């Protein structure tokens, strides 16, 4: 009998793809998050690297980023049923990187949720797009995962009143982590979701971003009144949540500018600016030298205003 049960469990896990074993973490009153792994996406982690958070707005949930696949989103939703049995009325996507929004397909299917996002998602993707997760996970782990674009594009600050929550969506309007990032701010709860403008416990990927734009956006975030900051990646949510990103980009800017002044070339820059202070942080080997190289390209002709 036991053998039979074990066998059918194995069959089940095959039928439904990767088991994320998700447990929601409470970060504030009415807010729960699933915190992604601080690793590159892989078959082993099911591509679960970006944070995905649920806000209980009394009659429904509002979701900030929908995760890496239909399968992930379905499991996240099922795990949230133990907190409160509510539908997902609205989803806000912080930016176009696929680890943050491939889960849209589940919520659109199940609830026809309204999706808010930056316009880059509707401009840069269509039904035929195959973002990188399609090269990483097997077909069974991506079953039903489709490109579901935004219903409402946000280019100017917008305040939503949903249930008992007031939610401000604030476009950065400058290139920070991408050329089109949204911050999500709950003034009454004093909670801010920063998407990938802020990461902690790992090195950022600045491939589509800007050192200067990120630092300006960090200034803006610091001037808002919040007690809890939820980054796009990483678990730290207290007042220290943005310190890692701030320190990394500040040092990156200072050191790359010094090297440029000293005549260091693009070919040499990653060897000269080593950012060793961060070498024990997750994903340093994968991402740091690329960030240094990109910072050089950005700052080569930079004039401090
Ligand atoms: Zn990103």
């Amino acid at each position: 009998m036991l053998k039979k049960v074990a066998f059918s469990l194995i069959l089940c896990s095959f039928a439904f793809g990767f088991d994320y074993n998700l447990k929601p973490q409470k970060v504030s009153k009415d807010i729960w998050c699933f915190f992604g792994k601080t690793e590159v996406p892989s078959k082993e982690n099911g591509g679960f690297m970006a944070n995905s958070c649920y806000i209980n707005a009394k009659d429904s949930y509002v979701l900030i980023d929908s995760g890496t696949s239909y399968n992930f989103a379905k499991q996240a939703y099922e795990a949230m049923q133990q907190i409160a049995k509510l539908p997902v009325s609205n989803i806000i996507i912080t930016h176009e990187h696929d680890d943050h929004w491939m889960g849209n397909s589940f919520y659109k299917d199940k609830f026809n949720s309204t999706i808010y996002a930056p316009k880059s998602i509707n401009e840069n993707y269509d039904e035929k797009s195959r973002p990188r997760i399609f090269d990483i996970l097997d077909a069974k782990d991506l079953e039903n995962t489709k490109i579901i674009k935004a219903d409402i594009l946000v280019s100017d600050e917008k305040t939503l009143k949903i249930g008992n929550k007031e939610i401000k969506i604030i476009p950065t309007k400058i290139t920070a982590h991408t050329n089109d990032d949204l911050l999500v701010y709950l003034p009454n709860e004093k909670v801010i979701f920063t998407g990938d403008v802020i990461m902690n416990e790992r090195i950022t990927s600045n491939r589509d971003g800007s050192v200067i734009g990120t630092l300006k956006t960090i200034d803006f975030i610091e001037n808002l009144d919040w007690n809890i900051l939820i980054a796009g990646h990483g678990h730290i949510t207290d007042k220290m949540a943005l310190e890692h990103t701030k320190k990394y980009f500040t040092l990156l800017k200072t050191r790359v500018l010094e090297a440029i002044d000293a005549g260091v070339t693009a070919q040499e820059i990653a060897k000269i600016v080593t950012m060793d202070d961060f070498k024990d942080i997750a994903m340093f080997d994968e991402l740091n030298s690329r960030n240094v190289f990109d910072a050089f390209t950005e700052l080569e002709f930079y004039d401090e205003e």
Side-chain angles (χ1 to χ4, degrees), residues 9-116:
L9 277 176
I10 289 168
L11 274 184
C12 266
S13 68
F14 271 116
F16 295 112
F18 190 89
D19 181 1
Y20 289 93
N21 190 22
L22 296 173
K23 291 185 183 59
Q25 313 282 316
K26 187 169 185 174
V27 294
S28 180
K29 185 177 180 286
D30 293 338
I31 302 179
W32 286 264
C33 290
F34 298 96
F35 289 99
K37 298 253 163 61
T38 47
E39 302 168 353
V40 291
S42 65
K43 278 191 186 28
E44 288 67 39
N45 59 32
F48 175 32
M49 50 184 315
N51 298 337
S52 175
C53 299
Y54 275 70
I55 302 168
N56 181 335
K58 189 163 158 269
D59 305 316
S60 71
Y61 285 124
V62 177
L63 191 64
I64 312 297
D65 286 343
S66 61
T68 198
S69 66
Y70 182 104
N71 179 29
F72 169 85
K74 181 168 186 283
Q75 291 180 33
Y77 176 72
E78 279 162 8
M80 283 308 296
Q81 297 313 287
Q82 289 156 17
I83 309 293
K85 290 192 192 321
L86 295 172
V88 174
S89 58
N90 296 272
I91 305 174
I92 303 167
I93 304 300
T94 57
H95 66 292
E96 65 169 299
H97 290 154
D98 65 334
D99 46 328
H100 296 261
W101 63 281
M102 289 300 114
N104 286 3
S105 37
F106 168 74
Y107 299 102
K108 203 59 174 173
D109 253 21
K110 185 153 174 88
F111 305 107
N112 194 24
S113 315
T114 301
I115 301 167
Y116 294 81

Side-chain angles (χ1 to χ4, degrees), residues 257-272:
L257 282 175
E258 278 168 10
I260 290 169
D261 273 354
V264 173
T265 64
Q267 286 70 36
E268 302 161 328
I269 191 74
K271 286 204 185 77
I272 305 287

Side-chain angles (χ1 to χ4, degrees), residues 95-100 132 177-178 181 195-197 199 205 208 233:
H95 66 292
E96 65 169 299
H97 290 154
D98 65 334
D99 46 328
H100 296 261
R132 71 181 168 168
H177 175 68
T178 68
D181 298 294
D196 287 1
V197 174
M199 297 187 195
S205 168
D208 300 324
H233 301 266

